[in-house]
Amino acid sequence: MRATLRFWRHLYGENPLHLLAMVGCFALVGYAVTFVFPGPSALALGIWFAGAVIGHDLILYPLYAFADQPLVVLRWARRRVLPRRPALVPAINHVRAPVLGAAVLGLIYFPTISQRGDAAFTFASGHSMVGEYANWLLITGVLFLGSAVIYAIRLGVALRRPRPPVTAPEEPDEVTEARSGAT
Amino acid sequence: MTTVGRAGAGEAGDTAAEPAAVVVDPVVDPGEDGAVVEEPEAGGTGSGEPASSERVAPEPEYGFPRALWRGLARIPVPPPADPRTWRSPLRGTWLTSVFGAVLLVGLPIVILTGLLSFIAYGPQFGQALPADVGYLHLPFFDWPSNPSWLYRLTQGSHVVGGMILAPVVLAKLWSVVPKLFAWPPVRSAAQLLERLSLLALVGGILFEFITGLMNSQYDYGWGFSFYTAHYYGAWVFIGGFVTHVAVKLPTMLRALRAGPGGTGALGRWLHDSPAETEPEPMDHTGLAALAPNKPSLSRRGLLGMIGGGSLLVGLLSVGQTWDALRPLALLSPRGQSYGNGPNDFQINRTLAGSGINPTALDDGWRLRLTGGSSEVSLSRRALLDMAQHTATLPIACVEGWSVTRTWTGVRLRDLAALAGVPNPDTAFVQSIETSGAYARATLQSNQVLNPDALLALKVGNPGEETVDLAPNHGYPARIIVPALPGVHNTKWVAAVDFRPA
């Protein structure tokens, strides 16, 4: 029995229950798909399903990964230029947090902010979503302002604390710095 | 120096068979000290390599044909397939497991409330969409009409809960993105199948979020029916989700129980400042970075940011279904102020949109009651002369918003008795409106007989005096039934057919 299992594992790469779970998944997914394929909306559904994956994995994800790079590079550059003066309070996350907040709201409420749904909304409700984007801009402003205020407070607290002498006895390890920063 | 087996994945019992199972896992702190001495272990994969401060990925398990997969793995590949592309020191099995645990609690709530909404629409009458779903539904039951806030709660949880989970879903996907580009793309038949099942999981959840968010904001630009797409899309996702949980739950539990470096000290990782933050150790899940950057954010900071994002989304969204917090729903189309008057609340079908000729609402309007031995016809005056009942009830939309009003009118069960069917099995309500999917609705027995189920003639702010319904809210008379999905509370009612058992 043990030898059989081991042989199976060498062949398949996982234990047999794994295969059972996969078969269950494909059976359910296949059954669900039979309700729309073949059918008039099958193509549009397929395009949107694939589009959702491609849109996130190959467009949205690289965008936000690259959006973070300037911050990482700036931080690295700052360390190179001012090696003996570590930042009292690193600013990087005071930029990241409001950007993230504004971005996630912008994404979730995109149909409203972009007013794409306005015609249907007006037809259904007699009201309009035109101008709601201003609320998003307002919230974005508040997030950045709040982050800046917290940063200022932290900076103030750090400045009041006694600082170690500027010529720190321990030299930063240049090799390590260069390696870890070389993104 | 520590050695790890394949604790991260697979069965511990089989690992002894393969020499590759024991690997070197130096714990490197790249920010502090590059001089970590690594002693290559005999028989380990590290044995042929010079000692260095580099982190070493454990040799993965390969299925048949091993030579092919291993050969592929040795080919140097450019980014993003090169594991050195992924540099966040926070990525790792533990972090992914934290996000996974949150979603394991949250997503079933969103899934179940969504499937319950299908039941609430009355699939037994063919009025739930999509109409024929085969076996893809919860067991059918009569949707309760008590408590009155039931549908408000389930559908509010579905929509707002989904929105709150969106940042966690994005974070979870961020934490596993190196796997998307991993080289070689597969290492065994098992992994090939698993990656296909992940298409159902990831594609499913993204598809469900996108269609759900667009529909609740009136953006219908797909070219397919929302209900069809969101319902079957949900089942595709459920397939991927259940399978993923079945396969990965042991890994998640082990990682959470083991904690940082197997110490079980969950608090330590959450306590570390950015400077103290160590990269997660490399293991068989392949999530931890091979060449991590110096941390600029602590684990506490990352989890705080994601949690804060969810909190922010929650605060700005819950007001669409919670009257007291309505002013906070700044981005929700249904969070706008409609004014303070008795009739100033959300409309989901305007009189103009219904296509009804306004003269049909004049004094000549009559309510027809059928089902008994003879048809009964009532003017609005006659209805007002009947026993009036007032109830404060929410009206909740499938889009996730809801609002509480006080309604005055005639009890549906009084009308049923008047029609000569005091114990109807169902009631079929028709609007003056003839077009549109919700110009008619069938009510269950419990929905007709509930003492708060009304043919409402008046409406007002909660607890205040009621006034005649405005034309946009269904004047001369509309249905309001506790816990019934909003669109089934038919407006501009023309006729009710009470059907005996």
Side-chain angles (χ1 to χ4, degrees), chain A residues 131-164:
Chain A
E132 284 212 46
Y133 71 91
N135 287 347
W136 178 64
L137 293 178
L138 184 77
I139 293 164
T140 302
V142 168
L143 289 174
F144 273 92
L145 194 69
S147 182
V149 167
I150 294 170
Y151 178 72
I153 292 171
R154 288 182 63 191
L155 201 61
V157 170
L159 280 170
R160 281 165 145 260
R161 225 181 281 136
R163 274 192 284 171

Side-chain angles (χ1 to χ4, degrees), chain A residues 14 17-18 21-22, chain B residues 194 197 241-252:
Chain A
E14 282 285 349
L17 290 176
H18 182 278
M22 294 303 139
Chain B
E194 197 171 324
S197 79
F241 181 64
V242 171
T243 306
H244 190 62
V245 171
V247 171
K248 294 294 187 189
L249 187 69
T251 307
M252 183 193 93

Side-chain angles (χ1 to χ4, degrees), chain B residues 15-101:
Chain B
T15 55
E18 292 167 72
V22 182
V23 293
V24 188
D25 180 30
V27 178
V28 181
D29 186 352
E32 294 298 321
D33 186 357
V36 171
V37 182
E38 177 185 321
E39 297 169 9
E41 179 156 333
T45 45
S47 58
E49 291 165 14
S52 77
S53 62
E54 292 294 302
R55 285 150 65 87
V56 178
E59 171 92 0
E61 195 173 356
Y62 295 106
F64 179 82
R66 279 184 71 147
L68 172 67
W69 305 131
R70 290 181 87 158
L72 275 177
R74 293 210 172 119
I75 298 172
V77 281
D82 181 350
R84 275 158 220 279
T85 312
W86 311 102
R87 297 200 165 235
S88 172
L90 300 185
R91 278 203 189 94
T93 314
W94 182 82
L95 185 76
T96 297
S97 299
V98 171
F99 294 138

Side-chain angles (χ1 to χ4, degrees), chain B residues 13-392:
Chain B
D14 273 6
T15 55
E18 292 167 72
V22 182
V23 293
V24 188
D25 180 30
V27 178
V28 181
D29 186 352
E32 294 298 321
D33 186 357
V36 171
V37 182
E38 177 185 321
E39 297 169 9
E41 179 156 333
T45 45
S47 58
E49 291 165 14
S52 77
S53 62
E54 292 294 302
R55 285 150 65 87
V56 178
E59 171 92 0
E61 195 173 356
Y62 295 106
F64 179 82
R66 279 184 71 147
L68 172 67
W69 305 131
R70 290 181 87 158
L72 275 177
R74 293 210 172 119
I75 298 172
V77 281
D82 181 350
R84 275 158 220 279
T85 312
W86 311 102
R87 297 200 165 235
S88 172
L90 300 185
R91 278 203 189 94
T93 314
W94 182 82
L95 185 76
T96 297
S97 299
V98 171
F99 294 138
V102 173
L103 294 176
L104 185 56
V105 174
L107 286 175
I109 295 174
V110 177
I111 293 170
L112 275 177
T113 49
L115 295 176
L116 282 174
S117 181
F118 183 78
I119 303 284
Y121 266 74
Q124 68 271 40
F125 306 129
Q127 57 186 7
L129 291 170
D132 177 23
V133 296
Y135 297 102
L136 298 180
H137 58 82
L138 295 181
F140 287 146
F141 60 92
D142 273 0
W143 184 249
S145 61
N146 188 31
S148 64
W149 43 260
L150 183 65
Y151 190 67
R152 164 181 246 188
L153 178 73
T154 59
Q155 199 55 20
S157 305
H158 181 70
V159 175
V160 179
M163 294 167 97
I164 288 173
L165 288 180
V168 187
V169 168
L170 290 175
K172 174 79 159 61
L173 291 174
W174 170 83
S175 78
V176 296
V177 79
K179 306 279 283 178
L180 178 67
F181 300 100
W183 182 262
V186 295
R187 300 183 309 259
S188 63
Q191 211 205 354
L192 178 67
L193 292 180
E194 197 171 324
R195 294 203 73 169
L196 280 173
S197 79
L198 289 176
L199 187 63
L201 177 81
V202 178
I205 190 123
L206 292 170
F207 182 80
E208 289 300 279
F209 271 64
I210 290 170
T211 51
L213 286 169
M214 284 175 70
N215 185 68
S216 65
Q217 294 171 68
Y218 302 85
D219 182 355
Y220 307 132
W222 308 289
F224 48 69
S225 148
F226 166 72
Y227 296 99
T228 304
H230 203 63
Y231 197 79
Y232 295 121
W235 283 99
V236 169
F237 170 65
I238 289 169
F241 181 64
V242 171
T243 306
H244 190 62
V245 171
V247 171
K248 294 294 187 189
L249 187 69
T251 307
M252 183 193 93
L253 291 177
R254 219 163 18 227
L256 291 178
R257 214 177 290 139
T263 59
L266 195 78
R268 199 190 99 202
W269 267 357
L270 289 180
H271 182 266
D272 288 348
S273 67
E276 294 160 341
T277 298
E278 288 171 12
E280 280 200 41
M282 305 209 64
D283 60 24
H284 280 82
T285 64
L287 294 169
L290 180 63
N293 275 346
K294 201 168 170 176
S296 58
L297 181 64
S298 63
R299 288 194 172 76
R300 182 182 53 199
L302 177 66
L303 295 180
M305 254 189 219
I306 305 303
S310 283
L311 190 71
L312 183 69
V313 171
L315 270 178
L316 289 169
S317 305
V318 74
Q320 62 181 296
T321 188
W322 189 335
D323 294 302
L325 298 178
R326 185 97 45 205
L328 281 179
L330 286 169
L331 296 173
S332 164
R334 294 305 190 162
Q336 301 177 14
S337 168
Y338 282 64
N340 297 317
N343 270 294
D344 292 339
F345 62 101
Q346 286 77 351
I347 301 161
N348 211 20
R349 187 119 170 119
T350 57
L351 181 67
S354 72
I356 295 173
N357 184 344
T359 57
L361 312 181
D362 289 348
D363 290 345
W365 174 84
R366 292 290 180 275
L367 174 73
R368 284 185 304 115
L369 302 177
T370 54
S373 47
S374 60
E375 185 179 306
V376 179
S377 179
L378 297 163
S379 67
R380 195 164 193 276
R381 186 71 255 159
L383 285 165
L384 284 166
D385 287 341
M386 289 178 68
Q388 301 289 300
H389 180 71
T390 296
T392 299

